[in-house]
């Protein structure tokens, strides 16, 4: 059964790649790549079960994390054209010591 | 200190669950890496009520259970719109007010809206959210009211008592 | 009681496999939606099908098929990561597109907005 699921995910990855190639805007491409990452995480999991090696899920965990970081990095880069700019940060208005354990 | 204890507990559980090999050398390495993570987190000043809200785990988990049901209910119209022959969608922007005050409650509310297929939070300004909805007729401000109330209760409810205690 | 356990053990691979297949089909439907919908903001909704229900059902199916509790823990970790990061990523995308001035397609007749200066 997981073989069928893996094949279906491959088709889904292909369709998402078509959207990533077609565009038309930058955001469509980033969305397609982000969605592709989620599907690849599922695909690695299915492949591990098909081949009888569920240890591959470690790779899937890493892929899920890197996928998120890369999306945010690409968006930040295309907004500021640089990685050196800090993201928008509100100035601190209240002291953070109203809850215990903050000033350790 | 409670937040540090919660962070250390979660990191230790993550290591033990992901590694699966319990030799002394690996456990020592686990201790070192947990220590480095905690030091880095405290240098980043993310160890506070909002960064690690373990004190409110039970309300947040019960809210999450409710949210899962809502997500699965909201999936049906979007799936139908994806596979139907003619695109029967009516996208629109909706503005919604929220009663949530803390950043944690606002994050939970906005993320719940984004997680629910058919609605995406585009912008958060103060107590107002700009939402893009796939079906305008389903996304009236009243339809977000229950989610708003529940996320408020999950993250902010009983906050006054906590502060007084 | 032991017969019930036997039936459950017999059903386990089937239930897990069917859940996996349903999840993969939902991912496929999400891809079709990403391909078909008219503009960026509506495609975001189609992608969120993949991020929520497809991931949940597939990982649930894999958890039922899993040979050990360690694998179940890893699957739960993946599920948690995806559920915490995917709305943040979607919101960042939508916010970036909105801030950059991308005009969405609105209304039932799906009138095309004028995006000539942002186009491609």
């Amino acid at each position: 059964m997981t073989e069928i699921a893996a094949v279906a995910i491959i088709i889904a990855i292909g369709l998402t790649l078509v959207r990533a190639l077609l565009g038309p805007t930058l955001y469509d491409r980033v969305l397609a790549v982000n969605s592709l990452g989620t599907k690849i995480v599922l695909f690695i999991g299915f492949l591990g079960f098909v081949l009888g090696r569920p240890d591959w899920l470690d790779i899937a965990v890493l892929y899920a994390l890197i996928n998120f970081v890369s999306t945010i990095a690409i968006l930040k880069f295309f907004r500021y054209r640089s990685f050196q700019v800090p993201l928008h940060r509100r100035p601190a208005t209240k002291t953070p010591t109203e809850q215990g354990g903050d000033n350790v | 200190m409670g937040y540090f204890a919660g962070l250390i507990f979660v990191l230790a559980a993550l290591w033990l669950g992901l590694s699966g090999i319990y030799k002394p050398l690996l456990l020592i390495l686990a201790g070192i890496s947990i220590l480095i993570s905690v030091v880095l987190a405290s240098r980043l000043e993310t160890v506070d009520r909002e960064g690690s809200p373990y004190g409110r785990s039970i309300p947040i988990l019960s809210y999450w259970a409710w949210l899962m049901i809502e997500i699965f209910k909201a999936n049906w119209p979007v799936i139908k719109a994806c596979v139907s022959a003619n695109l029967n969608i009516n996208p629109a922007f909706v503005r919604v007010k929220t009663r949530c005050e803390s950043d944690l409650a606002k994050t939970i509310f906005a993320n719940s809206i984004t997680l629910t297929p058919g609605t995406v939070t585009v912008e958060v300004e103060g107590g107002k959210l700009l939402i893009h909805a796939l079906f305008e007729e389903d996304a009236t401000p009243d339809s977000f009211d229950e989610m708003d109330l529940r996320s408020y209760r999950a993250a902010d409810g009983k906050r006054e008592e906590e502060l007084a205690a | 009681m032991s017969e019930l356990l036997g039936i459950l053990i017999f059903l386990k691979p089937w239930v897990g496999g069917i859940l996996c297949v349903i999840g993969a089909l939902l991912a496929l439907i999400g891809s079709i939606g990403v391909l078909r919908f008219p503009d960026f903001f509506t495609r975001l909704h189609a992608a969120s099908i993949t991020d929520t229900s497809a991931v949940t059902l597939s990982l649930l199916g894999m958890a039922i098929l899993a040979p050990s509790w360690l694998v179940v823990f890893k699957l739960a970790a993946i599920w948690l990561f995806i559920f915490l990061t995917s709305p943040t990523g979607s919101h960042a995308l939508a916010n970036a597109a909105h801030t950059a001035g991308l005009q969405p397609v609105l209304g039932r007749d799906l009138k095309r907005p004028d995006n000539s200066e942002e186009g491609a």
Side-chain angles (χ1 to χ4, degrees):
Chain A
M1 293 296 267
T2 40
E3 290 90 342
I4 305 172
V7 171
I9 287 277
I10 289 178
I11 300 171
I13 287 174
L15 291 178
T16 319
L17 263 180
V18 172
R19 172 49 69 198
L21 293 175
L22 282 181
T25 63
L26 164 79
Y27 305 104
D28 289 299
R29 293 177 211 267
V30 178
L31 168 70
V33 170
N34 189 10
S35 179
L36 196 70
T38 312
K39 277 159 201 157
I40 288 177
V41 168
L42 290 183
F43 178 66
I44 294 173
F46 286 141
L47 204 62
F49 278 91
V50 169
L51 300 180
R53 293 179 65 181
D55 311 331
W56 287 15
L57 285 170
D58 291 332
I59 309 170
V61 173
L62 267 181
Y63 210 103
L65 287 173
I66 291 175
N67 184 29
F68 171 66
V69 175
S70 65
T71 306
I72 299 296
I74 291 171
L75 285 175
K76 188 182 170 186
F77 181 75
F78 277 98
R79 185 152 174 187
Y80 299 106
R81 301 279 158 182
S82 159
F83 285 118
Q84 306 275 321
V85 186
L87 285 175
H88 172 69
R89 187 164 186 179
R90 213 173 41 191
T93 50
K94 57 183 176 183
T95 54
T97 48
E98 51 188 314
Q99 298 277 326
D102 285 328
N103 47 359
V104 177
Chain B
M1 278 318 281
Y3 300 115
F4 277 96
L7 184 65
I8 290 170
F9 176 76
V10 167
L11 287 174
L14 194 64
W15 178 288
L16 293 178
L18 288 183
S19 112
I21 305 168
Y22 307 115
K23 289 179 188 163
L25 173 68
L26 280 172
L27 291 181
I28 292 169
L29 288 178
I32 294 171
S33 49
I34 288 171
L35 200 67
I36 292 174
S37 307
V38 170
V39 169
L40 286 180
S42 70
R43 269 177 61 93
L44 281 169
E45 298 173 2
T46 52
V47 188
D48 54 6
R49 183 179 176 276
E50 311 227 309
S52 37
Y54 306 118
R56 306 203 57 83
S57 323
I58 294 170
I60 287 178
L61 283 181
S62 59
Y63 172 72
W64 203 333
W66 175 82
L67 183 67
M68 286 306 295
I69 300 169
E70 287 295 305
I71 285 171
F72 274 88
K73 275 196 282 183
N75 260 300
W76 281 115
V78 186
I79 290 172
K80 268 190 275 179
C82 280
V83 294
S84 65
N86 56 334
L87 278 180
N88 187 21
I89 56 175
N90 186 10
F93 273 126
V94 187
R95 280 195 187 276
V96 174
K97 265 190 177 173
T98 172
R99 76 189 81 198
C100 303
E101 287 150 16
S102 67
D103 286 350
L104 177 66
K106 271 185 210 164
T107 309
I108 289 178
F109 182 47
N111 275 3
S112 318
I113 289 174
T114 312
L115 265 178
T116 318
T119 47
V120 170
T121 315
V122 176
E123 213 170 37
V124 183
E125 304 173 347
K128 278 189 177 174
L129 284 81
L130 182 65
I131 293 169
H132 184 271
L134 195 56
F135 303 100
E136 190 180 9
E137 52 274 12
D138 290 351
T140 51
D142 297 336
S143 59
F144 297 107
D145 202 44
E146 195 189 354
M147 189 179 275
D148 186 19
L149 186 65
R150 280 178 187 263
S151 52
Y152 173 75
R153 278 199 200 132
D156 272 359
K158 295 198 206 125
R159 198 161 168 229
E160 287 75 17
E161 288 95 86
E162 271 184 10
L163 283 174
Chain C
M1 201 60 204
S2 62
E3 297 100 44
L4 193 67
L5 209 66
I7 291 171
L8 279 181
I9 288 172
F10 173 74
L11 278 181
K12 210 177 88 162
W14 287 99
V15 173
I18 287 170
L19 278 176
C20 284
V21 170
I22 293 175
L25 287 180
L26 282 175
L28 190 57
I29 290 172
S31 311
I32 293 171
V34 168
L35 209 56
R36 279 187 69 200
F37 278 174
D39 80 321
F40 166 72
F41 288 98
T42 46
R43 279 172 204 144
L44 211 53
H45 299 300
S48 78
I49 295 181
T50 312
D51 284 346
T52 57
S53 59
V55 165
T56 309
L57 288 180
S58 307
L59 294 183
L60 195 64
M62 282 190 242
I64 291 174
L65 291 175
S68 70
W69 284 104
L70 217 60
V71 174
V72 176
F73 184 89
K74 281 173 195 167
L75 290 167
I78 295 176
W79 186 76
L80 198 65
F81 288 147
I82 289 183
F83 259 67
L84 290 182
T85 55
S86 87
T88 314
S90 298
H91 171 70
L93 262 168
N95 198 345
H98 185 71
T99 312
L102 189 74
Q103 293 301 314
V105 170
L106 292 179
R108 191 165 284 285
D109 50 351
L110 302 177
K111 199 164 61 212
R112 287 261 159 205
D114 182 27
N115 264 330
S116 47
E117 67 271 9
E118 290 93 8

